[in-house]
Amino acid sequence: MKGQSIFLFLFSLLLPWSSVFSQFPGDNSRNNGSKPTLDGFAEVSWEASYAQVRDKFLSLASNPQSDEKIEVVHEDKEKSLLVRRNGIFYLYRFYSTPKLVLDSRPKDKNQPRPEKETSPEEDEHLEPGKLFSVGVSFRYLPGKEVQSKLENKYGKPKKETLDDKKIGGAVIWELTDERQAPPAGGFIVQWKEAYKKQPFTRRVDYFSSKVKAQIEKEYKEFFSAEEIKTLRDLIP
């Protein structure tokens, strides 16, 4: 593994900068000044199932007519899928409502939840995972150039937070439709860190605003779920 990491590092140094940027999301400029949106990542929509995303990349990886180099590097069923695509790593993250939260909710008598056997791995979650975030990792690139590429597609960021040295921090784009509840769209976080005393970037994260709101809501439910379930069982 160590030897492989060294090889990947040396190989990345040989890649021309232009080839990395050509694969980086946000490379295309906005068309006709239209308002940018974030309804998913690249060709995959938010809330796509784990199975759909996995099958898509396995199909692309085995397609002899494809010019892309695609490999499914690691998979954690219904939770995450790590894909290496043309030398860049994409971590697809999936979310499903915890079983404890589902069990704490009032049961719909008209639509009872079907009983099924679950393995230890599936015990914490019963529902299929749905895409809520994608993390993109690549070799160090100048933070200003990465930010410029993202601005070309998504416009100016909403805010930027930097450390005392004005080097490390995060740049945030909010690309949502607040008229909907929960808001549609998503947001982007570009991470900057010090490298050679300059702000560089090697990671950008994309998130679904809708699923983020769901996670925040169910996070609160999770910590009271056990008590709610106990009270419901005591008072049927």
Side-chain angles (χ1 to χ4, degrees), residues 107-114:
K107 297 295 186 294
D108 187 342
K109 294 181 179 180
N110 296 323
Q111 295 180 338
R113 182 176 295 278

Side-chain angles (χ1 to χ4, degrees), residues 210-226:
K210 180 180 177 181
V211 184
K212 171 182 174 287
Q214 178 186 345
I215 293 173
E216 290 175 345
K217 176 179 177 293
E218 293 180 353
Y219 178 83
K220 296 177 181 178
E221 285 187 73
F222 183 84
F223 287 99
S224 59
E226 199 66 63

Side-chain angles (χ1 to χ4, degrees), residues 159-192:
K159 58 184 175 181
E160 183 173 357
T161 59
L162 296 175
D163 58 19
D164 294 337
K165 296 181 179 179
K166 305 297 181 182
I167 295 178
V171 187
I172 301 171
W173 285 260
E174 289 192 13
L175 308 165
T176 61
D177 184 353
E178 299 293 344
R179 295 171 297 178
Q180 301 186 41
F187 61 98
I188 304 169
V189 181
Q190 174 196 349
W191 302 97
K192 291 184 179 181

Side-chain angles (χ1 to χ4, degrees), residues 58-219:
L58 288 177
S59 177
L60 287 172
S62 60
N63 183 0
Q65 297 180 343
S66 175
D67 295 330
E68 295 189 278
K69 294 181 180 179
I70 298 175
E71 176 189 3
V72 176
V73 179
H74 179 75
E75 40 187 312
D76 188 354
K77 188 176 181 181
E78 307 297 349
K79 295 179 181 179
S80 65
L81 195 68
L82 180 61
V83 176
R84 179 163 55 195
R85 189 171 188 172
N86 301 325
I88 297 177
F89 287 91
Y90 300 86
L91 179 61
Y92 290 78
R93 308 180 183 102
F94 301 83
Y95 176 77
S96 56
T97 302
K99 179 178 181 296
L100 183 61
V101 172
L102 291 174
D103 289 344
S104 72
R105 292 173 175 172
K107 297 295 186 294
D108 187 342
K109 294 181 179 180
N110 296 323
Q111 295 180 338
R113 182 176 295 278
E115 296 293 332
K116 70 171 186 176
E117 295 294 328
T118 59
S119 66
E121 293 79 9
E122 297 174 323
D123 190 51
E124 294 181 359
H125 299 82
L126 292 177
E127 298 182 334
K130 56 186 179 182
L131 182 67
F132 81 93
S133 174
V134 180
V136 186
S137 300
F138 40 90
R139 66 186 182 86
Y140 275 118
L141 293 174
K144 288 184 179 180
E145 294 190 34
V146 173
Q147 183 172 340
S148 176
K149 288 291 179 180
L150 289 167
E151 288 181 358
N152 283 343
K153 184 168 186 178
Y154 298 111
K156 294 293 182 181
K158 181 172 184 178
K159 58 184 175 181
E160 183 173 357
T161 59
L162 296 175
D163 58 19
D164 294 337
K165 296 181 179 179
K166 305 297 181 182
I167 295 178
V171 187
I172 301 171
W173 285 260
E174 289 192 13
L175 308 165
T176 61
D177 184 353
E178 299 293 344
R179 295 171 297 178
Q180 301 186 41
F187 61 98
I188 304 169
V189 181
Q190 174 196 349
W191 302 97
K192 291 184 179 181
E193 56 186 280
Y195 178 65
K196 296 183 178 179
K197 297 182 179 181
Q198 294 294 324
F200 273 69
T201 292
R202 60 176 174 177
R203 190 177 115 213
V204 177
D205 287 302
Y206 298 72
F207 297 89
S208 162
S209 293
K210 180 180 177 181
V211 184
K212 171 182 174 287
Q214 178 186 345
I215 293 173
E216 290 175 345
K217 176 179 177 293
E218 293 180 353
Y219 178 83

